[in-house]
Amino acid sequence: VQLQASGGGLVQAGDSLRLSCAASTRTFGSYGIAWFRQAPGKERDFVAAINRNGGMTTYADSVKGRFTISRDNAKNTVYLQMNSLKPVDTAIYYCAADDKGLYPTVNSDYWGQGTQVTVSS
């Protein structure tokens, strides 16, 4: 599975962005998808995940109520809608896919290249 993350950019605090993760596979519906982020000098942290059919989602506490993950299996794409962005959200955002378990983890095999999100105060 090849993943292509896009949609990052430079925004001000309080603004919104929508990230996309497009997958090149005929079996997209077999994969749970997750977003992780990594700030400079820090570890890669979990942000949000969605299961294969989109019926289950989970979020990091730091983004609950502000971020929404969704998927369109017909378009082989997962989205991360990010509202009320804060400077602490600044990071490179990566999407990951896994066909094992409910959601991907940091040990999953398939990763996108990352998209930079910068939030200025």
Side-chain angles (χ1 to χ4, degrees):
V1 177
Q2 291 186 328
L3 304 174
Q4 179 75 35
S6 62
L10 171 62
V11 298
Q12 293 186 332
D15 285 351
S16 298
L17 276 176
R18 189 177 78 159
L19 305 184
S20 297
C21 176
S24 61
T25 173
R26 295 182 178 181
T27 59
F28 183 66
S30 298
Y31 292 86
I33 305 292
W35 287 96
F36 293 79
R37 65 187 182 187
Q38 189 166 19
K42 296 189 176 182
E43 294 184 349
R44 190 169 296 189
D45 291 331
F46 170 77
V47 176
I50 190 165
N51 74 328
R52 294 170 180 80
N53 65 8
M56 296 180 65
T57 59
T58 186
Y59 298 90
D61 287 344
S62 58
V63 306
K64 280 181 182 176
R66 299 189 298 123
F67 291 10
T68 302
I69 189 170
S70 61
R71 67 189 295 159
D72 185 340
N73 283 356
K75 295 183 178 180
N76 279 18
T77 302
V78 166
Y79 304 99
L80 185 67
Q81 178 67 44
M82 305 187 297
N83 299 330
S84 303
L85 282 162
K86 305 175 182 179
V88 295
D89 295 318
T90 296
I92 300 175
Y93 284 70
Y94 299 90
C95 56
D98 206 322
D99 59 355
K100 299 179 292 295
L102 188 58
Y103 305 122
T105 70
V106 291
N107 298 313
S108 293
D109 292 333
Y110 306 110
W111 290 85
Q113 85 289 358
T115 185
Q116 176 71 48
V117 172
T118 303
V119 185
S120 63
S121 58

